[in-house]
């Protein structure tokens, strides 16, 4: 039996200017993070597995309108919501992912179902929706996913004729992608990520979130969930690169994350961050943006939530 167990989550990297965010906003984000991290930690505390813990934590973040996943997702150019998610079991090496689906309340659970009940890893679009319907998934109305500030962001992005991470728009609202990594008491690791993508995206654009190895990775040594400008994370296979640095070069989790986020991504304009956990239960948050919504909870370390670098 493994002695340590811990979980970490993120609600996106980039975030607001610390000079403009007010105390009410800070409290709302921290409360949303706290609810999600405590939900995941409760699974681990009662002896549940890491895979269940990351799913439960991400579901909580998907259900919270503050974060760009599930209910709080940003709008595409056509004022629709397109959702992506992935999950990976570090013990078995199995993974599931879904891309470009709409009206699915919890895409992370659909990704898990694909992993467990199909012969596939990644399903997308209409086919993924058909799969979800056949497996009894809950569909919501378009109004469930409609938030006024996401519409405002879309209108600004359209006026500027650009596709953008929502924290790059000069509107003081929250930013993209959510995720979780966990180590359970038996020493198993899992990771999961979910997102609504980029504001004003077109042509079925996908980021790193549904791509195993780019936005999500878990094995016997570590679990990683990424957030940021997905194109850069795809090109650099970020989540898997961190696992490789740990496995093949013997780097610590902090060294591996710093190498990728600051020495590899930052010089080429790859803004964003990630959360990671190793087989000892060490958690590391790494981001080259202004901030990253994040939280952790370990049996040895207690509860932590944060937004900026302080």
């Amino acid at each position: 039996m493994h002695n340590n167990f811990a979980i970490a989550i993120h609600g996106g990297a980039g975030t607001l200017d610390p000079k403009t965010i007010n105390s009410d906003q800070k409290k709302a984000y921290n409360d949303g993070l706290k609810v999600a991290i405590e939900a995941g930690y409760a699974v681990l505390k009662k002896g549940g597995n890491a895979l269940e813990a990351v799913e439960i934590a991400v579901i909580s973040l998907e259900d919270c309108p503050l974060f760009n996943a599930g209910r709080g997702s940003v709008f595409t150019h056509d004022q629709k919501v397109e959702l992506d998610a992935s999950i990976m079991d570090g013990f078995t090496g199995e993974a599931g992912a879904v891309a470009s689906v709409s009206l699915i309340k919890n895409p992370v659970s659909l990704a898990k179902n694909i992993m467990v009940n199909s012969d596939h890893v990644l399903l997308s679009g209409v086919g993924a929706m058909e799969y979800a319907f056949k497996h009894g998934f809950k569909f919501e109305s378009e109004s469930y996913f409609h938030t006024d500030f996401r519409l405002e962001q879309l209108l600004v992005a359209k006026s500027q004729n650009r596709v953008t991470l929502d924290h790059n728009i000069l509107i003081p609202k929250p930013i993209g992608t959510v995720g979780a990594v966990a180590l359970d008491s038996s020493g198993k690791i899992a990771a999961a990520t979910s997102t609504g993508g980029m504001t004003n995206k077109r042509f079925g654009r996908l980021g790193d979130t549904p791509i195993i190895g780019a936005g999500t990775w878990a094995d016997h040594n570590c679990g990683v969930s990424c957030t940021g400008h997905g194109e850069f994370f795809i090109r650099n296979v970020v989540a898997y690169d961190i696992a490789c640095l740990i496995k093949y070069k013997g780097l610590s989790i902090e060294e591996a994350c710093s190498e990728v986020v600051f020495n590899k991504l930052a010089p080429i304009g790859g803004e964003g961050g990630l959360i990671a956990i190793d087989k000892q239960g060490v958690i590391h948050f790494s981001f080259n943006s202004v901030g990253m919504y994040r939280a952790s909870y370990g049996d040895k370390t207690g509860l932590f939530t944060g937004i900026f670098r302080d």
Side-chain angles (χ1 to χ4, degrees):
M1 181 69 70
H2 197 279
N3 291 324
N4 296 337
F5 58 89
I7 184 170
I9 62 173
H10 68 77
T15 201
L16 312 178
D17 185 333
K19 296 175 183 175
T20 61
I21 185 172
N22 62 47
S23 58
D24 287 342
Q25 288 174 317
K26 275 188 178 180
K27 184 180 186 305
Y29 302 141
N30 280 310
D31 285 350
L33 291 167
K34 188 169 182 284
V35 169
I37 196 75
E38 288 181 341
Y41 182 77
V43 172
L44 299 176
K45 189 174 182 179
K46 68 180 183 183
N49 63 51
L51 193 69
E52 181 186 359
V54 296
E55 180 190 12
I56 291 297
V58 171
I59 284 172
S60 179
L61 293 167
E62 288 175 337
D63 290 347
C64 178
L66 293 174
F67 303 105
N68 179 18
R71 188 173 193 178
S73 293
V74 298
F75 285 119
T76 68
H77 180 80
D78 298 322
Q79 203 171 316
K80 303 292 185 183
V81 169
E82 290 180 356
L83 309 170
D84 312 321
S86 62
I87 193 166
M88 188 165 186
D89 185 334
F91 180 70
T92 64
E94 295 179 333
V98 62
S100 295
V101 295
S102 57
L103 309 182
I104 299 290
K105 184 174 187 286
N106 296 117
V108 70
S109 294
L110 179 54
K112 183 182 176 185
N113 187 288
I114 291 166
M115 179 186 80
V116 173
N117 295 314
S118 82
D119 296 326
H120 310 298
V121 171
L122 174 59
L123 298 182
S124 68
V126 174
M129 299 280 285
E130 181 183 356
Y131 178 93
F133 180 78
K134 286 186 174 181
H135 284 80
F137 272 81
K138 184 176 176 64
F139 286 71
E140 296 288 351
S141 65
E142 288 191 0
S143 62
Y144 173 83
F145 298 93
H146 180 99
T147 50
D148 290 339
F149 61 78
R150 293 304 191 195
L151 180 58
E152 185 181 3
Q153 288 178 325
L154 174 63
L155 297 176
V156 171
K158 280 188 170 183
S159 72
Q160 298 172 349
N161 193 31
R162 65 177 182 172
V163 178
T164 180
L165 300 169
D166 42 351
H167 59 268
N168 285 334
I169 302 176
L170 298 178
I171 299 174
K173 300 298 179 184
I175 44 66
T177 310
V178 305
V181 295
L183 170 76
D184 64 33
S185 58
S186 66
K188 297 175 183 175
I189 295 172
T193 314
S194 181
T195 189
M198 299 177 82
T199 298
N200 201 30
K201 65 181 178 180
R202 302 178 73 178
F203 315 119
R205 177 265 179 190
L206 293 174
D208 61 306
T209 292
I211 301 176
I212 300 301
T216 303
W217 182 262
D219 58 23
H220 293 288
N221 294 311
C222 68
V224 183
S225 174
C226 302
T227 171
H229 197 143
E231 280 71 10
F232 292 92
F233 284 71
I234 293 170
R235 292 171 193 153
N236 291 278
V237 203
V238 167
Y240 183 63
D241 197 26
I242 287 168
C244 287
L245 289 171
I246 293 170
K247 183 175 181 179
Y248 299 120
K249 294 195 72 175
L251 270 60
S252 69
I253 196 160
E254 181 176 358
E255 291 169 337
C257 293
S258 296
E259 172 64 26
V260 174
V261 172
F262 295 104
N263 297 338
K264 192 170 184 178
L265 286 173
I268 59 173
E271 181 185 0
L274 54 87
I275 57 174
I277 191 167
D278 70 11
K279 61 185 178 182
Q280 281 80 40
V282 176
I283 289 168
H284 188 65
F285 302 106
S286 187
F287 52 97
N288 59 35
S289 47
V290 175
M292 181 171 70
Y293 295 113
R294 62 200 188 276
S296 63
Y297 205 157
D299 64 320
K300 301 289 192 293
T301 58
L303 173 66
F304 162 82
T305 65
I307 301 175
F308 303 108
R309 295 191 181 277
D310 45 36

